[in-house]
């Protein structure tokens, strides 16, 4: 299951559907159901809040598989013995969220670019900022003397 989850983590929902549809792993069918449920939950949430939602812009933000309850059974073995059979289950958790709308880019003026460059080069501390501590041997010596 984790192999399949790793394939869709971070992908756009339509792309994740396509990956799961054509995957040869048996777990892909179950994960497809969980992803479909997560998308439906996101749609219902948007309807309740009366917000517009484009399903094609949803992205798999969080996808994880954890160990679930183990069903303990016994099977027959040679000479009348019984051997334990552990039927393992898993918990699949998928969160989907819409990509944020791209912000419109505003052209920066040459004066704003120059001011930004000066701030980065000068790098003077703000008035309320604590003074920088010395690095290297001087810093370690000053700490040893104080108690």
């Amino acid at each position: 299951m984790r192999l399949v989850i790793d394939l869709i983590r971070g992908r756009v929902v339509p792309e994740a559907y396509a990956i799961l549809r054509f995957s040869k792993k048996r777990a892909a069918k179950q994960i497809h159901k969980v992803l479909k449920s997560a998308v439906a939950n996101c749609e219902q949430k948007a309807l309740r809040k009366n917000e517009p939602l484009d399903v094609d812009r949803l992205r798999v933000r969080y996808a994880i598989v954890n160990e679930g309850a183990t069903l303990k059974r016994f099977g027959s073995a040679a000479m009348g013995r019984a051997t334990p059979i552990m039927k393992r289950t898993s918990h699949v958790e998928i969160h989907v969220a819409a990509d944020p709308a791209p912000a419109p880019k505003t052209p920066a003026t040459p004066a704003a670019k120059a001011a930004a460059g000066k701030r980065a080069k000068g790098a003077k501390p703000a008035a309320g900022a604590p003074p920088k501590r010395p690095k290297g041997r001087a810093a370690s010596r000053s700490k040893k003397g104080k108690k």
Side-chain angles (χ1 to χ4, degrees):
M1 280 230 164
R2 287 191 178 113
L3 292 172
V4 180
I5 281 287
D6 291 340
L7 291 174
I8 66 165
R9 189 178 293 125
R11 307 259 184 177
V12 183
V13 168
E15 186 181 352
Y17 279 146
I19 289 170
L20 293 172
R21 168 81 171 81
F22 296 108
S23 176
K24 292 183 179 182
K25 300 282 186 186
R26 253 180 38 189
K29 189 174 181 181
Q30 299 298 322
I31 292 173
H32 188 276
K33 286 182 180 181
V34 176
L35 179 61
K36 199 172 172 182
S37 174
V39 170
N41 289 342
C42 193
E43 285 180 290
Q44 288 297 316
K45 188 176 178 183
L47 279 173
R48 270 187 261 122
K49 291 184 176 182
N50 201 14
E51 296 175 349
L53 177 73
D54 184 14
V55 177
D56 293 335
R57 289 187 52 219
L58 289 178
R59 187 174 288 274
V60 179
R61 293 288 179 202
Y62 180 79
I64 195 165
V65 177
N66 287 324
E67 185 179 357
T70 302
L71 303 174
K72 297 175 178 93
R73 303 288 184 262
F74 287 94
S76 58
M79 297 181 166
R81 292 192 190 106
T83 57
I85 298 171
M86 307 295 230
K87 295 188 175 186
R88 300 186 186 278
T89 61
S90 55
H91 292 162
V92 181
E93 192 175 341
I94 296 177
H95 296 213
V96 292
D99 281 336
K105 293 184 178 180
T106 56
T109 61
K113 286 182 183 177
K118 287 180 182 177
R119 273 186 254 128
K121 289 178 185 174
K124 290 185 179 179
K132 289 187 178 180
R133 293 172 41 186
K135 295 180 181 178
R137 295 181 78 159
S140 61
R141 285 185 188 151
S142 63
K143 288 180 186 176
K144 286 180 184 176
K146 296 179 181 177
K147 285 190 180 182

